[in-house]
Amino acid sequence: MQEQLTSQYAQSAGVTVDAPATHAESEFKRDMGFWGNLALGFTYLSPVVGVYTTFGLAMGISGPPAFWMLAVAGLGQLLVACVFGEVVSQYPIAGGIYPWNRRLWGAKWGWMSGWIYAVAINATIASVAFGAGPFLGALFDIEMNDQANVMLALAILAFATLTNFGGTKLLANVAFIGFVLEIIATVVIGLWLFIKTSKHDLSVLFTDFRPAEMQEATPFMAAFLASALFGIFLFYGFEANGDVAEEVRDPSRVIPRAMRMTIYIGGISSMFLALGLILSVPDYVAVINGTATDPVGEILVEAFGTGGFKVVIAIVLVSFLSCVISLQAAASRLMYSMGRDQQLPASHLLGKFNRDRAVPPYALLVAAVLPGVFVVISLLSPDALIAILSFASFGIYLAFSSVVIASIRARAKGWKPKGHFSMGTFGWVVSIAAILYQVFAMVVIAQPVEGAENFFQEYIVLCVSAIVVLIGVAYLFVSKPYLRGSGIAEDARTGVVDLRYAEPIAQSEEIVDLAVRMGGGKPNLYPHQERDQDQGRMH
């Protein structure tokens, strides 16, 4: 297969193939198939966690019609997943967003997107672990306070880290168990809500239940669009499918399909569960005006009783744990990928790989310690934790947008995706629609906070995002990481399919340096080759 591709691309590039060249091989074990990859993305997305944590917020903004924003978000992120699918099919490299952007646009764009995504995903790990604390406390009747919540969150991080140190096969198995349990739980809980506690018909999904004064103050469409947070906070996780690309068998084919299936199954599951909850709310006005502070908890206690509610809490906790494990796996692969290319401080450690366990140990430890630091900060300053966590979702969408923008730019410069998955002539339309949705999502997330005491609190998402970006820009131009390492950059226009890490079991040494840079006519250089002469002009 490689020989055929080599010959094909060599002919198209006008290059004569004389002999094979040596190239870098992935050190990961390819122990993950389609179902394991799907399970990883699904447990990261986690419909149970997403719906449980955002239901009250969305219902309080626009009431039952917020349900339709799940469909809008699902469709919008499906467009993004298709763009990602094209890119990962050609570049199935560990780390996802960073190496994709590096290959599509250049080393600087790749570094900035990797930095933003690294901060955002570590903040997300802290957010999910901190949010899981009360569920663990409720399950074991632990009296909760700030110190207890922090200790439980740290225990969850420790459990996730130990699981990830077990290697790819254990990660895939744990993710699959979490996937199956969450699917079963979603179906059982949803059906029981329809049977036991449903109080309304589907007409409520088209009815504005907001009090008259709220309807006069805010047009329904404005409230409806604001409730997009329901889906925006839920529909990401599919990028994790690509973060572990070097651990997947036949990644060029498997990962794009797993990304789309993550959206399909996650979307159907979340909408089914959300509909069951919406139809079971006894008083929509009470939820909207804030009188009912825990609508999900009240509904589940009514449906399952006190004893059954404990079982539901256990299921929700499993979903939280699976989510943290998947997030941590994705974060560690990103930082390992950047460390391997010498892009971060302590890259000599982050880029190390444990062959016995088939994991990047130091990158994995950072993906545990950094979120742990974020969690502990809450004891020193709750406002500081809020500031960090406020960047989580916005930063992930900002990183997503960087890939879509880079793919549009590369396409405009002549890039034609050469992986097993390609959108063909629909690529332009899908890419433009995807970036429009990403902009919409970021605008919604960055809305000012009502009743804030000062400018920073009012625009906390934008302020924290600006700080993260400015720190990244400062490091980029002071330390110049784009001049280090030997990773390939901005080679998308050559049309070369990156097969270095794409072989199902083990890499061969058959790929030759066959691509010619369209701009200068110099051959494309692979990581094993010296690039000192080229570093001065790298992006």
Side-chain angles (χ1 to χ4, degrees):
M1 178 65 177
Q2 279 185 328
E3 291 175 350
Q4 293 174 355
L5 286 171
T6 299
S7 176
Q8 175 186 343
Y9 295 130
Q11 291 174 9
S12 65
V15 177
T16 301
V17 180
D18 294 319
T22 303
H23 60 275
E25 293 184 1
S26 173
E27 296 182 286
F28 288 98
K29 292 181 180 179
R30 293 194 179 275
D31 288 331
M32 189 177 292
F34 169 76
W35 288 105
N37 193 243
L38 168 62
L40 181 72
F42 180 88
T43 52
Y44 179 163
L45 184 147
S46 190
V48 169
V49 172
V51 171
Y52 202 110
T53 54
T54 60
F55 180 82
L57 173 65
M59 288 289 291
I61 296 174
S62 67
F67 170 82
W68 299 111
M69 275 304 171
L70 290 175
V72 172
L75 178 59
Q77 291 296 71
L78 178 60
L79 299 172
V80 179
C82 288
V83 175
F84 283 16
E86 271 196 328
V87 181
V88 73
S89 187
Q90 181 161 339
Y91 301 117
I93 307 172
I97 286 173
Y98 155 70
W100 299 342
N101 274 330
R102 184 182 178 94
R103 305 299 287 268
L104 290 170
W105 193 323
K108 291 179 182 178
W109 189 261
W111 192 91
M112 277 303 302
S113 62
W115 160 254
I116 291 169
Y117 186 56
V119 176
I121 196 170
N122 280 287
T124 303
I125 295 170
S127 175
V128 176
F130 195 79
F135 293 97
L136 185 57
L139 184 63
F140 294 102
D141 297 319
I142 299 173
E143 184 176 348
M144 293 302 296
N145 52 44
D146 292 341
Q147 290 77 12
N149 200 355
V150 168
M151 293 305 297
L152 292 175
L154 294 177
I156 289 167
L157 286 171
F159 176 80
T161 305
L162 290 174
T163 301
N164 272 301
F165 264 108
T168 304
K169 183 173 289 187
L170 179 61
L171 171 63
N173 290 337
V174 169
F176 186 74
I177 292 171
F179 168 68
V180 172
L181 288 177
E182 190 157 350
I183 289 292
I184 293 173
T186 299
V187 172
V188 171
I189 293 173
L191 285 175
W192 190 245
L193 290 176
F194 286 123
I195 296 170
K196 180 74 173 178
T197 59
S198 182
K199 300 174 177 62
H200 311 278
D201 57 37
L202 296 179
S203 65
V204 299
L205 301 179
F206 305 92
T207 306
D208 186 359
F209 286 92
R210 295 178 303 150
E213 60 272 16
M214 291 183 67
Q215 294 188 31
E216 292 177 2
T218 307
F220 173 74
M221 186 54 65
F224 179 62
L225 292 176
S227 67
L229 291 170
F230 200 8
I232 289 171
F233 287 159
L234 192 152
F235 279 102
Y236 53 86
F238 55 88
E239 78 279 9
N241 301 112
D243 288 333
V244 296
E246 292 173 37
E247 297 158 79
V248 180
R249 295 184 291 272
D250 196 10
S252 187
R253 296 180 187 273
V254 166
I255 295 175
R257 181 181 169 214
M259 284 181 169
R260 299 192 303 275
M261 287 299 292
T262 296
I263 298 292
Y264 299 151
I265 300 176
I268 293 171
S269 300
S270 60
M271 293 180 74
F272 183 73
L273 181 58
L275 184 59
L277 289 169
I278 288 172
L279 298 182
S280 299
V281 173
D283 185 355
Y284 294 123
V285 175
V287 177
I288 293 171
N289 63 25
T291 305
T293 57
D294 183 17
V296 176
E298 294 172 5
I299 292 169
L300 294 178
V301 169
E302 179 187 353
F304 296 96
T306 305
F309 181 65
K310 282 272 190 181
V311 176
V312 174
I313 288 295
I315 294 171
V316 173
L317 181 59
V318 169
S319 299
F320 268 96
L321 288 172
S322 298
C323 186
V324 173
I325 291 168
S326 298
L327 280 163
Q328 193 181 62
S332 65
R333 273 56 172 182
L334 167 70
M335 291 185 287
Y336 166 74
S337 182
M338 297 185 75
R340 183 170 61 183
D341 287 346
Q342 302 176 36
Q343 298 297 294
L344 293 172
S347 285
H348 64 290
L349 294 177
L350 293 173
K352 284 188 178 295
F353 190 87
N354 186 308
R355 290 183 178 273
D356 293 332
R357 297 190 176 276
V359 296
Y362 294 100
L364 192 52
L365 284 174
V366 172
V369 172
L370 190 56
V373 170
F374 291 162
V375 168
V376 171
I377 283 176
S378 67
L379 295 178
L380 305 176
S381 172
D383 290 340
L385 178 65
I386 292 172
I388 293 169
L389 300 187
S390 68
F391 174 71
S393 294
F394 186 87
I396 287 177
Y397 276 88
L398 185 59
F400 281 15
S401 299
S402 70
V403 178
V404 180
I405 292 171
S407 71
I408 291 173
R409 176 183 180 271
R411 200 181 296 271
K413 287 180 170 289
W415 175 53
K416 291 182 173 58
K418 298 292 185 180
H420 288 295
F421 173 74
S422 174
M423 293 183 285
T425 56
F426 292 100
W428 274 109
V429 176
V430 172
S431 298
I432 292 172
I435 193 60
L436 290 175
Y437 172 73
Q438 294 295 290
V439 171
F440 164 73
M442 288 188 287
V443 169
V444 172
I445 296 172
Q447 288 299 300
V449 178
E450 294 183 5
E453 296 180 0
N454 53 55
F455 180 86
F456 182 82
Q457 291 181 354
E458 184 177 6
Y459 294 96
I460 186 169
V461 173
L462 291 178
C463 289
V464 175
S465 299
I467 292 171
V468 171
V469 171
L470 288 174
I471 291 174
V473 170
Y475 181 84
L476 179 67
F477 288 101
V478 172
S479 183
K480 296 181 173 58
Y482 54 90
L483 297 180
R484 299 194 295 267
S486 55
I488 307 169
E490 199 178 5
D491 66 320
R493 287 180 293 166
T494 65
V496 173
V497 181
D498 189 343
L499 297 175
R500 294 175 303 147
Y501 307 122
E503 282 299 292
I505 303 299
Q507 289 68 42
S508 69
E509 300 295 332
E510 298 174 355
I511 298 180
V512 298
D513 192 356
L514 53 86
V516 175
R517 289 191 179 276
M518 297 179 67
K522 292 185 178 181
N524 196 39
L525 300 179
Y526 288 99
H528 72 283
Q529 296 172 301
E530 294 294 334
R531 305 181 67 199
D532 294 342
Q533 60 181 358
D534 210 25
Q535 285 180 345
R537 67 174 182 82
M538 287 295 291
H539 290 279

